[in-house]
Amino acid sequence: MGEVKVPDMVNLVMFIFASHIDYWFNEVRPVLEGRFGPMDYVSDVLDFEKYTLYYSEEMGQGLKGRLVSFERLVHPFQLADIKRETNEIEKMFSIEGKRKVNIDPGYIHHTQFVLASTKHWGNRIYIGKGIYAEVTLVYVRGEFRHMEFTYPNYREEEYKKHLEKIRELYLKKRRKMMK
């Protein structure tokens, strides 16, 4: 019989995307940092629209995004509450009922990149409060690897490169915490 262990703390990550990403990122950043603490990594602007047009009708054309990491580590069980909170923040910035910014939270552990979702699917596990979690990437043999169900943008090396940089930050924070 296995022993129950306390799970590792994880690195909170968000993918923030919008039309006019620089404007909306500057608007939402203080709110996110007020709630989740300082960001310690902000990616270059990443193309998002080339992977899907799903959000274009609601959010407009030219969707681009940024991956961000937060300084403070979180417990994985907090992911459901964090997703619900980012949904509320999205509503704060909505205009006439349409989102202008989308905030997708998840976390990096040394073995995986996990995303939160309000949508059930066969590869997602219910974690409570109407939220599901999906292992989007696994870290194997020195790199993040995608799976059959991984969203197209997270299959791209450009996205994985930024997530690997965030993973390195996480490992430094984790080592410091374990001392």
Side-chain angles (χ1 to χ4, degrees):
M1 174 173 64
E3 280 188 45
V4 174
K5 296 177 181 126
V6 176
D8 292 332
M9 299 291 277
V10 294
N11 202 122
L12 179 59
V13 174
M14 294 181 190
F15 181 58
I16 302 161
F17 65 91
S19 290
H20 312 290
I21 185 59
D22 290 332
Y23 173 81
W24 287 110
F25 182 75
N26 289 332
E27 291 293 307
V28 78
R29 183 177 185 162
V31 176
L32 292 172
E33 288 187 321
R35 171 57 184 94
F36 303 108
M39 292 178 186
D40 59 1
Y41 185 86
V42 177
S43 76
D44 302 331
V45 172
L46 300 166
D47 195 354
F48 183 67
E49 191 170 68
K50 74 179 179 181
Y51 304 107
T52 181
L53 297 176
Y54 178 83
Y55 300 93
S56 297
E57 186 176 327
E58 178 183 15
M59 298 178 67
Q61 303 296 313
L63 295 174
K64 300 207 181 291
R66 290 186 183 273
L67 279 162
V68 302
S69 164
F70 292 84
E71 228 174 74
R72 186 174 63 221
L73 298 181
V74 298
H75 194 287
F77 79 77
Q78 293 175 273
L79 189 57
D81 287 329
I82 291 167
K83 175 64 175 170
R84 292 176 63 95
E85 187 151 357
T86 59
N87 282 356
E88 290 303 313
I89 294 168
E90 288 176 5
K91 287 179 189 173
M92 284 174 43
F93 290 94
S94 293
I95 298 174
E96 296 176 359
K98 291 188 175 186
R99 286 180 298 176
K100 294 299 170 187
V101 64
N102 188 307
I103 307 163
D104 287 338
Y107 63 77
I108 285 194
H109 180 266
H110 67 280
T111 62
Q112 60 193 190
F113 171 54
V114 175
L115 283 174
S117 179
T118 57
K119 300 171 205 79
H120 177 266
W121 196 244
N123 63 312
R124 296 180 182 158
I125 296 171
Y126 186 71
I127 58 172
K129 302 181 180 183
I131 306 300
Y132 299 84
E134 168 186 298
V135 176
T136 301
L137 300 169
V138 292
Y139 197 81
V140 179
R141 294 187 198 105
E143 66 182 7
F144 275 118
R145 297 189 182 188
H146 61 268
M147 292 172 261
E148 182 179 342
F149 51 78
T150 299
Y151 288 117
N153 57 315
Y154 293 113
R155 292 172 179 249
E156 293 288 331
E157 288 307 312
E158 184 178 26
Y159 279 73
K160 289 177 184 178
K161 173 187 76 171
H162 289 292
L163 291 168
E164 286 172 3
K165 288 178 182 176
I166 294 169
R167 182 179 178 274
E168 288 300 317
L169 284 172
Y170 165 67
L171 291 174
K172 288 177 186 172
K173 291 184 252 186
R174 186 172 182 260
R175 280 190 291 272
K176 188 175 179 181
M177 179 187 275
M178 295 174 95
K179 284 185 178 179

